[in-house]
Amino acid sequence: MKYVSTRGGMAPLDFSDILLEGLAPDGGLAIPQVLPRLSAETLQGWRGLPYADLAFEVLRLFADDIPADDLHRLTRAAYTDKIFGSEDIVPVRPLAGGMSLLGLSDGPTLAFKDMAMQFLGQVFEYVLAKRGTTLNILGATSGDTGSAAEYALRGKKGVAVFMLSPQGRMSPFQRAQMYSLQDANIHNIAVRGVFDDCQDIVKLLAGDLDFKAACRLGAVNSINWARIAAQVVYYIHGWLRATTRADQQVSFAVPSGNFGNILAGHIARRMGLPVRRLVLATNENNVLEEFLRTGVYRPRSAVDTYATSSPSMDISRASNFERFVYDLMGGDAARVKALWRELAETGQFDLSSLQPSFETDYGFVGGVSTHADRLSTIRSTYDEAGVLIDPHTADGVKVARDYVEPGVPMLVLETALPAKFSDTIQEALGRPVPPPAGLADLESLPQRVQVMECDAEAVKAYVKAHALL
Ligand SMILES: *Cc1c(COP(=O)(O)O)cnc(C)c1O
């Protein structure tokens, strides 16, 4: 399996090579040259596999440059009951109204990012040791990516993490989770701006090829293909749990921000997983929902990005979206490149002539959920099914309800646990959520964070001074 760039300007590379890079040298994103296909027999043969073994079967399709025994060891180290709290790793729980919850949030940081990141931590350490080199992870987070990356990489050999977060835009629990880490290889940088400002700085620094090479920069944000590949696993796991026959379809509803999670569902569907619908849920920052409805992609500026009560979805420009557009363009990298040039020049592009195909050919539908929707959905889900969901998952449940069909299981992806967003749960139910066992005093631990102006040069100087070389 070789990887190329969505913009056509990268010679084909192996999985281990793109693992250690951020953006492709031409500014595009790495994508498999040819997607593997899952036959009905293959899928049926995977029934009953423990999660770590399923992950091995799926990931070997994408990482065939890693010896199979080694890869199997890595997935077994990543997906343990000790790290994820149960043998299931990803439990499936019934909700009312034909829906079920795909439990992706039982990892160390209580959000679905752990699913991919725990594998990434293992495979990074493995590849770096094998190559005798080091890597400095530079990333931007609106909350959950950063903590998941830091928990997966803390104390790992050969890696340091520089994580930019928007100051004051994360919940106290999220802040405490990240900033309380005292490991020497973890650097938290709080930027006076919003998530997109952080992401712009990361893109600028990673786009400076001399700096990138000198500081050995890499990425773990959602543009990293290894994360997408690791996320494909739980779509297959969910399908295996919800069906008995090979031809049975399921739908997935996905609370979306950077388009990373749902992109993995799109990839699984293109590989042949019988997926009926991919239901994309946004909060008030509805750039992606607008695109699915109109075909016009019109990212917002930072000032037009609202701070909502599902903060991990407060994203105006979806970094993974380019991979979906690459497929919409039939893999024509020149057209992708032209669209992103148009985007840079005019602030938008228009694919309205293709809009009907989003649903008919790709299964994509979308919807918006507001603060009031979140509160009422948290309440009704608790009343009807006895299940407490977090505000992001509530956005997913709210939009999923409109697309439930008889005979088609609707799996809603649980993207975080409610304990992470206790203020909103308090507002919805009139009582807070007790923190999970072992995390009761998290918010009172000492915090370690560097506060900086929204200034790429300042961040650059800091990374230069602290990079692991
Ligand atoms: C990251 C995140 C999302 C959005 O996922 P994308 O892959 O960026 O679309 C939604 N909910 C939570 C809790 C998250 O952490």
Side-chain angles (χ1 to χ4, degrees):
M1 155 89 58
K2 295 284 183 188
Y3 293 85
V4 294
S5 166
T6 49
R7 299 191 197 171
M10 181 174 86
L13 291 174
D14 282 333
F15 178 88
S16 300
D17 299 317
I18 59 152
L19 175 72
L20 303 180
E21 300 292 328
L23 288 174
D26 63 354
L29 306 182
I31 196 105
Q33 216 164 18
V34 181
L35 266 191
R37 290 285 307 174
L38 301 173
S39 68
E41 298 74 54
T42 303
L43 286 170
Q44 289 295 76
W46 287 347
R47 290 196 184 278
L49 282 185
Y51 194 90
D53 296 344
L54 177 66
F56 164 66
E57 295 295 342
V58 176
L59 288 166
R60 69 193 296 192
L61 303 173
F62 292 106
D64 57 2
D65 57 323
I66 297 179
D69 286 351
D70 291 352
L71 185 65
H72 208 165
R73 197 163 36 74
L74 298 179
T75 64
R76 283 188 171 153
Y79 301 112
T80 67
D81 55 352
K82 190 155 168 277
I83 296 172
F84 286 94
S86 74
E87 295 239 326
D88 279 355
I89 309 297
V90 175
V92 179
R93 272 177 297 163
L95 298 176
M99 298 186 286
S100 298
L101 208 57
L102 191 62
L104 302 175
S105 303
D106 295 338
T109 71
L110 321 184
F112 87 95
K113 307 285 195 311
D114 288 325
M115 293 305 305
M117 217 61 90
Q118 285 296 316
F119 170 69
L120 217 62
Q122 295 295 335
V123 76
F124 264 80
E125 192 174 49
Y126 170 84
V127 170
L128 289 172
K130 210 154 194 193
R131 299 189 169 191
T133 186
T134 60
L135 193 67
N136 293 284
I137 297 301
L138 176 64
T141 185
S142 53
D144 299 318
T145 311
S147 54
E150 292 181 354
Y151 279 77
L153 293 170
R154 62 188 293 206
K156 288 264 188 307
K157 293 217 170 59
V159 200
V161 179
F162 296 85
M163 192 56 66
L164 277 55
S165 51
Q167 199 197 16
R169 294 265 181 157
M170 298 191 297
S171 76
F173 187 91
Q174 284 178 309
R175 279 202 293 274
Q177 234 180 0
M178 287 180 60
Y179 302 165
S180 67
L181 289 178
Q182 302 293 333
D183 306 73
N185 71 332
I186 303 297
H187 303 272
N188 284 303
I189 300 171
V191 173
R192 296 202 167 97
V194 295
F195 169 74
D196 289 301
D197 296 322
C198 299
Q199 186 152 274
D200 284 346
I201 293 175
V202 169
K203 280 193 172 166
L204 204 72
L205 267 52
D208 178 342
L209 297 187
D210 292 336
F211 178 70
K212 186 181 171 189
C215 287
R216 300 190 190 195
L217 292 189
V220 294
N221 50 18
S222 58
I223 61 171
N224 190 302
W225 177 263
R227 283 185 57 187
I228 305 297
Q231 289 171 184
V232 167
V233 178
Y234 54 69
Y235 283 89
I236 298 174
H237 169 87
W239 179 85
L240 289 166
R241 286 298 177 89
T243 62
T244 51
R245 297 191 324 271
D247 61 347
Q248 240 174 313
Q249 288 189 318
V250 306
S251 291
F252 293 97
V254 189
S256 292
N258 254 319
F259 207 78
N261 198 353
I262 202 164
L263 180 81
H266 164 71
I267 297 294
R269 190 177 189 275
R270 279 196 59 217
M271 288 168 73
L273 191 72
V275 176
R276 164 120 175 97
R277 275 177 170 154
L278 291 166
V279 181
L280 179 144
T282 69
N283 62 23
E284 291 88 337
N285 298 297
N286 68 329
V287 173
L288 292 169
E289 179 274 334
E290 182 181 81
F291 174 76
L292 291 179
R293 181 165 38 83
T294 66
V296 178
Y297 183 54
R298 196 168 52 89
R300 314 276 196 269
S301 65
V303 288
D304 292 324
T305 302
Y306 310 110
T308 76
S309 50
S310 47
S312 300
M313 294 156 64
D314 290 349
I315 284 159
S316 59
R317 258 165 301 160
S319 51
N320 261 293
F321 182 59
E322 184 168 337
R323 288 188 169 115
F324 176 54
V325 173
Y326 177 84
D327 285 344
L328 286 176
M329 296 295 106
D332 184 341
R335 290 177 71 193
V336 175
K337 197 171 162 181
L339 283 176
W340 256 262
R341 192 175 321 120
E342 187 181 336
L343 184 63
E345 283 162 8
T346 68
Q348 64 176 66
F349 59 70
D350 183 344
L351 299 178
S352 53
S353 62
L354 296 178
Q355 191 274 342
S357 74
F358 302 165
E359 181 171 0
T360 55
D361 294 359
Y362 298 94
F364 271 98
V365 291
V368 178
S369 165
T370 65
H371 180 69
D373 292 325
R374 280 188 278 288
L375 297 182
S376 68
T377 306
I378 289 167
R379 274 194 294 269
S380 60
T381 302
Y382 188 70
D383 290 345
E384 291 162 13
V387 177
L388 191 56
I389 55 173
D390 100 291
H392 306 78
T393 308
D395 289 333
V397 170
K398 147 75 172 69
V399 177
R401 280 180 180 151
D402 293 338
Y403 294 103
V404 175
E405 298 162 284
V408 183
M410 172 67 78
L411 293 177
V412 181
L413 276 57
E414 177 194 49
T415 56
L417 291 193
K420 259 189 133 156
F421 302 96
S422 188
D423 289 357
T424 303
I425 305 300
Q426 167 93 48
E427 197 180 339
L429 299 180
R431 57 182 171 76
V433 195
L439 296 178
D441 62 347
L442 188 69
E443 287 175 36
S444 61
L445 295 177
Q447 300 192 357
R448 186 168 152 262
V449 58
Q450 193 77 25
V451 180
M452 285 192 190
E453 293 305 318
C454 187
D455 172 7
E457 287 307 315
V459 175
K460 198 167 175 174
Y462 183 87
V463 173
K464 214 168 188 165
H466 296 87
L468 191 66
L469 296 174

